[in-house]
Amino acid sequence: MTTAHRHAGPDPTHDLEARTQEHYEWLAAEADKNLDRLEAQDPVHDVTLDDVLKRRGLSRRDFLKMSAVMTATLGLPPMFDLRVARAQEVATRLPVIWQELQSCSGNSMALIRNANPGTDELLLDLISLEYAEILMAPSGQAAEDVLADAIERYDGQYIAVFEGSVPVAEDGGYLTIGPTGETGVHKVEHISKHAAAVIAAGTCSAYGGIPAARPNPTTAMGVADFLGQRGIGTPVVNLPACPVSSTNVVGTILEYAMFGRLPSLDAYGRPLWAYQDRIHDKCERRGHFDAGEFVEGWTDIEGLKAGLCLFKVGCKGPMAYNNCGVVRYNEGASWPIMAGHGCIGCSEPGFWDTLTPFEVPLAGRVYATPFGTDADADTIGTVALGAAAAGVAIHAGATAVKAATESRSDAKKEQ
């Protein structure tokens, strides 16, 4: 199971809503100290924020507005608005190496396909992206030389972003990269050993994803599990989804720039600010669920047109944790449930095997949850029959179970 890496602080709770003013003041002081340290360093490249804003036709006021939106996304109060803005300005001191593994490159495509400039696109211009196969001009040995030079020059300072799973069967022979045929296994080991932190971007990199589906002929696995097996202790954050939200990638990099560490994580190594809530909790169709108003099948045209709850046609929203219903995709234009298809749980461990078949109800299935206990989908199926009061009780019960489990986990750590 993926190892979670948490940060220390005066407030032991990892519930964002429970954080106190004292905790935020401590966080602000930590951010100021780290940003001062970064600002004292020479930038890795000579691009400035003013250059980027001018090129994109944006004013400083536009930039500050976008920073405020990102601050809220990170679950931080307004006192961090200017600190988030400052983190972007000093991001030129933050080298990043992006390595493709066993993947479709869909996460990279999602990241660079923004139609309008936002905080995420601005940061892509500002960070020092030292190596990214699908974005860089050099290829072949020239590209490998760039990678080797970046690892040596920024040893222990860069963020390594991996996209795709790690195939370990046949000594890693299912994935070879570059003119020398170096295996993906060796690439991950070498890059991670010299990195300050690792980001696993997308479900394949986080948990193995589709390449790890049965029968998994390449013995594909997520990066954190692989590093754990090899005894490599570089901290890892998982950003699952297919594809991962660009907001979550950029937010994680910004948080690292601001605090010099990865964010607080859940039991599956995901940032709490992005994966703390269920899809179900933030769904715009939740009111229909509570009222017992469901699309009864794919031939229920009237129910589909009315935007009723998609639970009975297989939505995994009650079992999936992600903020995609809030940040959405394609510049916030839409997301799967808004477009009329239920959540398929692509951000959950075990996707694809444990979340299929997709277009059938949950009832009768058992799924793992981030709070360490299995949830019987029949329970939720009972709610689907229209008992709104039961739905409220189950929702409250799930929250209580989560809180109790986290409390037990914290107590266990203190022993």
Side-chain angles (χ1 to χ4, degrees):
M1 186 54 65
T2 303
T3 301
H5 302 272
R6 303 179 188 273
H7 72 83
D11 184 352
T13 181
H14 301 293
D15 184 344
L16 299 182
E17 296 178 357
R19 286 179 173 177
T20 64
Q21 181 64 27
E22 180 188 7
H23 181 82
Y24 285 123
E25 289 174 356
W26 172 81
L27 278 179
E30 188 185 39
D32 291 341
K33 182 179 177 181
N34 189 65
L35 290 170
D36 287 344
R37 181 186 62 80
L38 272 180
E39 202 166 55
Q41 298 178 8
D42 292 330
V44 175
H45 62 159
D46 57 5
V47 174
T48 67
L49 175 64
D50 288 340
D51 294 336
V52 174
L53 294 179
K54 184 177 180 180
R55 187 166 66 242
R56 296 193 175 281
L58 296 170
S59 67
R60 174 68 67 162
R61 186 181 182 87
D62 295 329
F63 169 68
L64 292 177
K65 286 181 179 177
M66 291 187 291
S67 297
V69 172
M70 179 56 77
T71 303
T73 303
L74 292 171
L76 295 171
M79 64 187 288
F80 284 87
D81 286 357
L82 293 179
R83 292 180 172 90
V84 169
R86 190 179 170 203
Q88 292 173 84
E89 293 194 72
V90 301
T92 53
R93 277 81 167 168
L94 190 61
V96 175
I97 291 175
W98 187 298
Q99 177 66 60
E100 297 285 332
L101 298 172
Q102 192 176 33
S103 77
C104 66
S105 300
N107 300 288
S108 294
M109 292 296 105
L111 191 62
I112 63 176
R113 289 294 183 184
N114 285 322
N116 301 305
T119 304
D120 39 9
E121 193 171 349
L122 285 178
L123 192 68
L124 278 180
D125 276 348
L126 287 169
I127 61 173
S128 180
L129 192 57
E130 294 297 308
Y131 177 86
E133 291 167 281
I134 65 171
L135 298 178
M136 59 195 295
S139 61
Q141 188 57 50
E144 295 306 297
D145 291 343
V146 170
L147 176 60
D149 180 65
I151 293 174
E152 181 178 355
R153 183 180 303 177
Y154 305 113
D155 191 2
Q157 304 172 48
Y158 62 85
I159 292 179
V161 182
F162 292 107
E163 177 176 7
S165 59
V166 188
V168 299
E170 302 294 339
D171 293 326
Y174 282 101
L175 174 63
T176 57
I177 302 170
T180 62
E182 188 177 10
T183 66
V185 165
H186 183 261
K187 284 276 190 186
V188 176
E189 285 182 332
H190 183 57
I191 293 173
S192 299
K193 283 180 179 176
H194 296 273
V198 169
I199 293 176
T203 299
C204 295
S205 182
Y207 309 127
I210 292 176
R214 288 190 291 266
N216 191 6
T218 67
T219 316
M221 62 172 54
V223 171
D225 287 339
F226 172 76
L227 295 181
Q229 286 188 2
R230 302 298 171 112
I232 298 172
T234 308
V236 182
V237 59
N238 290 327
L239 301 179
C242 190
V244 63
S245 159
S246 59
T247 300
N248 293 346
V249 174
V250 169
T252 301
I253 293 175
L254 266 181
E255 188 156 350
Y256 191 86
M258 196 156 48
F259 299 114
R261 52 147 178 79
L262 295 176
S264 297
L265 308 177
D266 72 6
Y268 293 143
R270 305 175 291 195
L272 285 175
W273 59 262
Y275 297 90
Q276 180 173 247
D277 296 319
R278 296 183 301 174
I279 296 287
H280 188 60
D281 297 328
K282 302 291 185 181
C283 181
E284 65 260 39
R285 299 181 189 235
R286 175 61 187 267
H288 291 297
F289 176 89
D290 291 342
E293 299 171 342
F294 299 94
V295 173
E296 297 294 338
W298 293 113
T299 58
D300 180 7
I301 304 301
E302 292 304 316
L304 289 167
K305 285 182 177 179
L308 303 185
C309 177
L310 297 165
F311 177 82
K312 288 187 177 180
V313 287
C315 181
K316 308 300 188 295
M319 294 298 175
Y321 290 74
N322 201 343
N323 62 353
C324 56
V326 178
V327 300
R328 300 179 180 173
Y329 290 91
N330 300 323
E331 293 301 317
S334 187
W335 65 302
I337 290 178
M338 186 176 180
H341 194 285
C343 168
I344 61 174
C346 67
S347 60
E348 297 308 298
F351 178 84
W352 155 297
D353 287 340
T354 62
L355 276 301
T356 51
F358 293 134
E359 296 179 349
V360 296
L362 283 168
R365 301 289 304 277
V366 174
Y367 299 89
T369 70
F371 39 95
T373 185
D374 287 344
D376 183 349
D378 281 334
T379 305
I380 297 175
T382 301
V383 180
L385 296 178
V392 172
I394 288 171
H395 178 69
T399 303
V401 169
K402 179 180 178 183
T405 305
E406 289 183 345
S407 177
R408 288 197 297 273
S409 176
D410 290 337
K412 187 176 180 181
K413 288 177 62 178
E414 292 173 357
Q415 290 176 353

